[in-house]
Amino acid sequence: MMTFEKLIKEKFRWFIIGVLVVLFLNGILLLNRDDKGTFGDMFGVANALFSGLAFLGILYAILLQREDLQIQKQELEETRNVLIKQEEQLKAQADALRKQNFENTFFNLLKQHNTIIDSMSGRASSGNVAGRFCFLAWKTDLLNDLRNLSDSSVMPRDVIAMPEVVKRASEKFFNSNEPFLGHYFRNLFSIVKYVAESNIGNKDFYIDIVRNQLSDDEILFMFSYGLTDFGAEYKKLIENNRLLKRLTYEYREEYGKKISIEKDGLYADSAFG
């Protein structure tokens, strides 16, 4: 279907041709006549034609201007789409750079944490200990504290360490060993806090990486540390980030006896995933 603008343009084209034909014939008829003035008055209609032509010219100019505005609008829309795509690309680049910077810092912190573990040293009931062997030796001491506070009998037997006993045993252990473990936990929780407070996506992925770096013994000591005055400030961090997800509740001692930890009421359920 022909639009209004196309219809006007088509009519205007034929109108111009008609006017030119009329003027051409008018000139030929007047060329050899003596009564040009009288005869020319018969073609006064040309004045009307020129008036109509002027009106159509204005209308045609308006249509052309309208076309120009539509073209400009289309160009602006295309420019806007290009700017949107550029903005999306810049945002993607910024996100990639932010993630790269975050991961560089994150893995450097993990590397530093492993260095701290390798340089650890202290004393246990079995003697001087160093490196990751500290946790194995200290676990024996912590379990002994749990048993002694749970059972005063001489003959060993299976023990269930109730929540109050777990808190008392934890306080007793860290009152003696916090100088050896304090730096370890402060650095560990600074890594967790760095992830938790960052604006990076998929934080659980990085928290899982941190948790998977820890041995079962380290998770036991984290559980114990958060129950003491030394680690109270980190308890909420433990709960919010499911850091005790792999906590073991039963431990075998010599002679095959067992110590079970009763955790109810010590932490929010979120701490255990």
Side-chain angles (χ1 to χ4, degrees):
M1 181 180 294
M2 185 175 292
T3 63
F4 177 72
E5 290 86 349
K6 291 182 177 179
L7 182 61
I8 291 297
K9 292 177 182 178
E10 188 69 21
K11 295 294 185 183
F12 186 76
R13 185 182 301 113
W14 287 110
F15 181 79
I16 292 294
I17 294 174
V19 169
L20 293 176
V21 171
V22 170
L23 292 177
F24 178 73
L25 294 175
N26 190 27
I28 292 176
L29 293 174
L30 290 174
L31 185 60
N32 296 315
R33 293 184 63 92
D34 295 332
D35 54 345
K36 294 183 178 66
T38 303
F39 185 78
D41 291 339
M42 297 173 58
F43 296 92
V45 69
N47 293 328
L49 290 175
F50 280 117
S51 297
L53 179 63
F55 174 74
L56 287 177
I58 294 173
L59 183 59
Y60 186 67
I62 292 173
L63 293 176
L64 289 178
Q65 187 177 22
R66 182 178 176 182
E67 261 191 12
D68 289 340
L69 290 175
Q70 288 177 342
I71 292 173
Q72 290 177 5
K73 181 180 179 180
Q74 183 178 355
E75 290 176 347
L76 288 174
E77 184 67 22
E78 291 175 353
T79 302
R80 177 175 172 274
N81 292 335
V82 170
L83 291 176
I84 290 175
K85 290 181 180 180
Q86 289 178 346
E87 183 180 358
E88 291 174 350
Q89 291 175 349
L90 290 174
K91 184 178 181 301
Q93 291 174 358
D95 290 343
L97 181 60
R98 182 169 60 250
K99 181 179 179 181
Q100 181 181 7
N101 291 336
F102 167 82
E103 290 189 343
N104 286 340
T105 302
F106 174 74
F107 288 111
N108 282 333
L109 288 172
L110 285 181
K111 182 178 180 181
Q112 178 184 353
H113 187 67
N114 287 323
T115 301
I116 290 173
I117 295 175
D118 291 339
S119 63
M120 285 176 58
S121 61
R123 286 194 58 81
S125 59
S126 58
N128 293 329
V129 290
R132 290 190 179 273
F133 291 106
C134 291
F135 294 105
L136 182 61
W138 285 332
K139 181 181 72 172
T140 300
D141 291 350
L142 178 60
L143 293 178
N144 285 336
D145 288 339
L146 285 171
R147 171 172 290 283
N148 292 335
L149 291 172
S150 299
D151 179 28
S152 59
S153 64
V154 177
M155 294 301 294
R157 59 181 176 81
D158 290 349
V159 168
I160 298 178
M162 302 306 290
E164 185 56 36
V165 170
V166 174
K167 291 182 67 174
R168 288 168 55 199
S170 298
E171 290 284 359
K172 181 177 183 299
F173 176 83
F174 279 100
N175 281 336
S176 301
N177 295 285
E178 202 279 336
F180 306 121
L181 282 165
H183 185 204
Y184 165 88
F185 279 114
R186 285 191 296 272
N187 188 73
L188 174 62
F189 290 127
S190 71
I191 299 174
V192 176
K193 191 174 182 180
Y194 172 70
V195 176
E197 295 181 353
S198 70
N199 59 353
I200 202 71
N202 197 13
K203 294 180 182 180
D204 288 345
F205 172 76
Y206 297 99
I207 293 296
D208 287 344
I209 290 178
V210 175
R211 187 172 52 243
N212 291 335
Q213 298 292 308
L214 308 178
S215 66
D216 290 346
D217 294 341
E218 289 175 82
I219 292 179
L220 171 63
F221 282 108
M222 186 195 305
F223 169 80
S224 180
Y225 189 68
L227 301 176
T228 68
D229 292 337
F230 301 109
E233 63 180 299
Y234 304 116
K235 186 175 181 181
K236 186 62 67 175
L237 200 64
I238 293 172
E239 293 172 338
N240 291 343
N241 294 280
R242 304 176 294 116
L243 295 181
L244 301 178
K245 187 176 180 180
R246 287 181 22 241
L247 177 67
T248 301
Y249 304 106
E250 294 184 352
Y251 297 89
R252 291 286 176 182
E253 297 181 289
E254 56 183 334
Y255 311 115
K257 298 302 179 181
K258 181 174 65 177
I259 293 182
S260 301
I261 295 176
E262 179 59 57
K263 66 178 179 61
D264 288 350
L266 295 178
Y267 285 90
D269 291 341
S270 59
F272 307 98

